[in-house]
Amino acid sequence: MKSYKIAALAGDGIGPEVMREAIQVLRAAAKKFGFTLTITEAPVGWAGIDAAGKALPDATLALCRNSDAILFGSVGLPDRDPTIPKEERPERAALLRLRKEFGLFANLRPVKLPAVLAHACPLAKERQGAGIDILVVRELTGGMYFGQPKKTEDLGGGHQRAIDTMVYTTPEIERIAHVAFKAAQLRRKKLTSIDKANVLENGILWREVVTRIGKNYPDVTLEHMFVDNGAMQLMLKPTQFDVLLCENMFGDILSDEAAALGGSLGMLPSASLGATTGNQTFGFYEPAGGTAPDIAGKNLAKPIAQILSAAMLLRQSFGENAAAAAIEAAVTAAINAGNRTGDIFSAHEVNAKRVGTREMGAAITAAI
Ligand code: IPM
Ligand code: MG
């Protein structure tokens, strides 16, 4: 029997609640499809600071290194302890560190609006066309998030200067472009590359490199779009997009915008992948939404993004395609059966019942 090791890092806010449901779903899938999962939980984020004094405790990092894949919840509680310096806070010290540590340069965020959730999309029905189905490919270890120098300087006289540096090298753009073109080949074969080539040096290089890499993929139609126009086009005509290729920060912004089109940020899973060695790709899987501290611990969070992230894990890291598809089908079945967490609930829907985190998780588990 095949056997895999997963590090489960639930983190803060709603992380533990949605992780619990995802683990339950994973166990049901393993049982049905005949493989063994060793799932080990470890603290990260504020939970890591509370347990071991660090957002990414050494034992947690060691567990990640010894695992075949990481299932991550979410970290960061902006209102907690302002005396902890920004470099030690969970966003930078845990999440960005893990991305860098494992070389997770390719972030895939698939947005899909299920037909029955048309009401949860902020756009009028006629703009939704036959359905919204977009894959955001976000570069994850470069750009402004990591570029040096990155600091705040004192200028004297009560003034400060903050500096972030946007930097990309040719190889960094090439490898993410290959990921995006390959993804487009498996979809509707259209790639929209986002940049700001009218203003930024980075944008000019991005456009040049993506165009050159595109010559290797003649079956994929490539178009370029400035990021401001891209943000607008997502609202005006989201059905024109298949794969959206973005640098790190543009991808952060546009993937939240796209998630809203998909009905809710609570539906958006993500895979962050490193280089492939042989047929194994080490991956990190997390819902794209945050810790939602306002609803944490109240059985209100939607577990779907976490559960769909677990499905991506089974597919991308373990090649357990049938089990991944079964989880995705179970999510669809639970939604089609009328289960709605608050964010996708509408009183106008016939047969919709408002459920909590646990009930949604149970409905999905039962449908495996
Ligand atoms: C995301 C999040 C993170 C990011 C934050 C929490 C650092 O917004 O994964 O999209 O900006 O990358
Ligand atoms: Mg974000």
Side-chain angles (χ1 to χ4, degrees), residues 75-76 91-92 95-96 99 107 109 138 140 145 248 251-253 255-256 270 286-290:
V75 294
E91 291 85 344
R92 292 198 203 183
L95 186 56
L96 298 197
R99 287 175 181 171
N107 182 222
R109 299 187 163 181
R138 171 186 176 194
L140 205 58
Y145 275 59
N248 202 346
D252 178 44
I253 298 168
S255 64
D256 268 28
S270 85
E286 60 171 329

Side-chain angles (χ1 to χ4, degrees), residues 111-113 118 121 123-135 187-192 223 225 229-244 257-258 261-262:
V111 172
K112 204 165 182 174
L113 177 70
C121 175
L123 295 187
K125 191 90 172 77
E126 54 274 18
R127 288 199 198 270
Q128 298 173 18
I132 296 169
D133 184 359
I134 302 170
L135 175 69
R187 295 173 46 102
R188 301 192 304 278
K189 299 188 171 54
K190 182 174 176 195
L191 178 64
T192 306
E223 68 174 17
M225 207 177 264
N229 185 31
M232 180 174 73
Q233 292 300 327
L234 266 175
M235 281 301 126
L236 292 179
K237 199 170 179 253
T239 52
Q240 72 185 284
F241 296 114
D242 177 14
V243 176
L244 265 182
E257 187 187 358
L261 298 175

Side-chain angles (χ1 to χ4, degrees), residues 20-334:
R20 189 180 52 220
E21 303 310 319
I23 289 176
Q24 183 184 299
V25 170
L26 276 171
R27 294 212 187 283
K31 193 165 169 214
K32 172 146 184 196
F33 290 89
F35 53 88
T36 307
L37 292 178
T38 306
I39 302 175
T40 311
E41 299 187 58
V44 72
W46 287 102
I49 294 175
D50 291 340
K54 272 165 123 177
L56 182 62
D58 299 342
T60 300
L61 181 58
L63 170 73
C64 292
R65 286 196 204 290
N66 286 320
S67 300
D68 302 314
I70 302 171
L71 185 62
F72 195 84
S74 43
V75 294
L77 299 170
D79 294 337
R80 265 202 61 177
D81 196 351
T83 65
I84 304 257
K86 52 189 188 272
E87 296 78 14
E88 292 167 29
R89 301 182 77 82
E91 291 85 344
R92 292 198 203 183
L95 186 56
L96 298 197
R97 167 122 190 260
L98 280 165
R99 287 175 181 171
K100 203 63 177 179
E101 193 79 33
F102 289 97
L104 307 169
F105 68 90
N107 182 222
L108 312 181
R109 299 187 163 181
V111 172
K112 204 165 182 174
L113 177 70
V116 293
L117 291 185
H119 66 273
C121 175
L123 295 187
K125 191 90 172 77
E126 54 274 18
R127 288 199 198 270
Q128 298 173 18
I132 296 169
D133 184 359
I134 302 170
L135 175 69
V136 180
V137 176
R138 171 186 176 194
E139 200 291 327
L140 205 58
T141 51
M144 270 219 261
Y145 275 59
F146 295 97
Q148 293 296 334
K150 184 179 195 70
K151 61 181 171 186
T152 305
E153 300 170 338
D154 228 320
L155 295 179
H159 298 279
Q160 289 173 299
R161 174 166 54 199
I163 302 171
D164 293 281
T165 306
M166 188 172 190
V167 50
Y168 271 106
T169 62
T170 309
E172 284 176 312
I173 304 170
E174 286 173 349
R175 63 183 182 177
I176 191 70
H178 280 294
V179 170
F181 279 109
K182 288 193 176 120
Q185 282 183 319
L186 299 175
R187 295 173 46 102
R188 301 192 304 278
K189 299 188 171 54
K190 182 174 176 195
L191 178 64
T192 306
S193 177
I194 298 290
D195 64 45
K196 190 70 185 168
N198 49 349
V199 178
L200 301 177
E201 294 295 317
N202 271 272
I204 297 169
L205 185 63
W206 186 272
R207 194 171 280 220
E208 274 172 20
V209 174
V210 173
T211 304
R212 174 163 52 75
I213 297 301
K215 304 263 188 285
N216 302 304
Y217 301 89
D219 52 331
V220 177
T221 306
L222 169 66
E223 68 174 17
H224 301 276
M225 207 177 264
F226 296 140
V227 61
D228 49 349
N229 185 31
M232 180 174 73
Q233 292 300 327
L234 266 175
M235 281 301 126
L236 292 179
K237 199 170 179 253
T239 52
Q240 72 185 284
F241 296 114
D242 177 14
V243 176
L244 265 182
L245 169 61
C246 309
E247 66 84 41
N248 202 346
M249 192 167 72
F250 295 162
D252 178 44
I253 298 168
L254 294 189
S255 64
D256 268 28
E257 187 187 358
L261 298 175
S264 159
L265 196 50
M267 309 264 291
L268 182 61
S270 85
S272 305
L273 307 175
T276 301
T277 33
N279 54 5
Q280 277 276 334
T281 307
F282 187 78
F284 175 101
Y285 302 83
E286 60 171 329
T291 52
D294 50 322
I295 58 164
K298 297 180 180 159
N299 196 37
L300 289 174
K302 171 134 36 86
I304 290 181
Q306 188 77 56
I307 291 169
L308 291 175
S309 298
M312 290 183 91
L313 181 157
L314 293 182
R315 180 179 292 115
Q316 309 268 6
S317 280
F318 302 161
E320 293 289 348
N321 298 339
I327 293 178
E328 287 156 357
V331 168
T332 305

